[in-house]
Amino acid sequence: MYTYLISAAELEQEHRSDWLVFDVRHDLMNPQAGRSAYLQGHIPGARFLDNDSDLVGKLTGKNGRHPLPERDKFADLMRQQGLESQTQVVIYDAGNSMFAARLWWMLRWLGHEKVAILDGGWQAWVAENGKVETDVSQASAEPSQWEESANPDMPTVQAAEILTNIEQPHFVVVDARAGERFRGEVEPIDPVAGHIPGAINRPNSANLQADGRFKPVLALRAEFASLLAGRPADQVVHQCGSGITACHNLFAMELAGMNGSKLYPGSWSEWVSDPSRPVAVGDA
């Protein structure tokens, strides 16, 4: 059973017909790029899921750019994909694993444990000379009767709790965006630049090696321990622009054995939708 990472070599050797492989390649600045890449070539049998349609809830203008879907609707999507309780799921994206980590978290949120990220993603598969297909006719399955279950180890935090925490801190917010966005020097996507007051910055790119694979467990553990300065994992809330790269940091902590941190799904794009919420700039 793979529950965190699987290598391209392991996937090529062990992939069975009853496994589910999801392709979630995506480009935030070009939403059609992922589907186009999938049609041009993908891992045999992989099914494409779109981050802007399949894996988000209804946009209200106040709940961020990628709100979580309703649990029952997401569970039904997984049943339509043929997910069973014993199904091994493998997820990959273009290589940095940010979109893969989001779906990993969502499946764990529904209580499914047998889910792993392809370490290094599509680029690792290509480097391994893995088989590639363009046919999509086989990427289908009979719907299942699988039932989701609540996972208390994948909790979420809402904006009101973040706001209260600014005045009465009992957890730390870790922002996964790039440093220049955190500091408010640039903001290419959202209407307001800066960060949540009191948050600390850990760009999700810091979790990866140069080839796109995750850093060794011991390195991740040491880096997060230094960042958190003694705070336990259950006092950590992950945030980013819209709740996607936050999952990358959360996954990296889980991979490192630092379990129990929380996700703020709405993240910065939800936070700044209410102008009354405070904003900080700079490093502090």
Side-chain angles (χ1 to χ4, degrees), residues 21 28 49 72 83 89 112 126 152 171 208 214 253:
V21 179
L28 291 171
L49 293 176
D72 59 345
L83 182 66
V89 178
H112 192 71
V126 172
F171 58 77
L208 302 176
F214 279 87
M253 283 187 62

Side-chain angles (χ1 to χ4, degrees), residues 194-268:
H195 61 266
I196 295 171
I200 58 177
N201 189 212
R202 164 76 177 188
N204 72 289
S205 58
N207 299 324
L208 302 176
Q209 303 175 86
D211 62 2
R213 293 175 174 85
F214 279 87
K215 290 178 177 177
V217 165
L218 291 180
L220 289 171
R221 188 178 301 159
E223 290 174 14
F224 275 102
S226 176
L227 177 76
L228 300 176
R231 298 181 183 90
D234 62 3
Q235 293 180 14
V236 176
V237 172
H238 295 281
Q239 169 254 319
C240 59
S242 65
I244 292 178
T245 54
C247 294
H248 200 277
N249 274 349
L250 192 155
F251 174 85
M253 283 187 62
E254 293 280 327
L255 179 64
M258 305 171 79
N259 309 115
S261 58
K262 304 173 181 68
L263 176 68
Y264 171 30
S267 285
W268 184 247

Side-chain angles (χ1 to χ4, degrees), residues 126-190:
V126 172
E128 189 67 24
N129 295 314
K131 295 179 181 178
V132 174
E133 71 175 16
T134 57
D135 182 21
V136 298
S137 63
Q138 302 301 314
S140 61
E142 290 294 322
S144 72
Q145 300 299 313
W146 173 75
E147 292 294 333
E148 77 275 16
S149 60
N151 187 345
D153 295 328
M154 291 292 145
T156 60
V157 170
Q158 304 307 312
E161 296 169 83
I162 301 286
L163 189 61
T164 299
N165 189 71
I166 293 172
E167 296 299 327
Q168 300 176 325
H170 62 278
F171 58 77
V172 63
V173 175
V174 176
D175 190 324
R177 295 175 299 162
E180 58 270 24
R181 289 186 70 192
F182 175 83
R183 294 187 296 271
E185 297 166 0
V186 298
E187 182 45 67
I189 304 176
D190 295 307

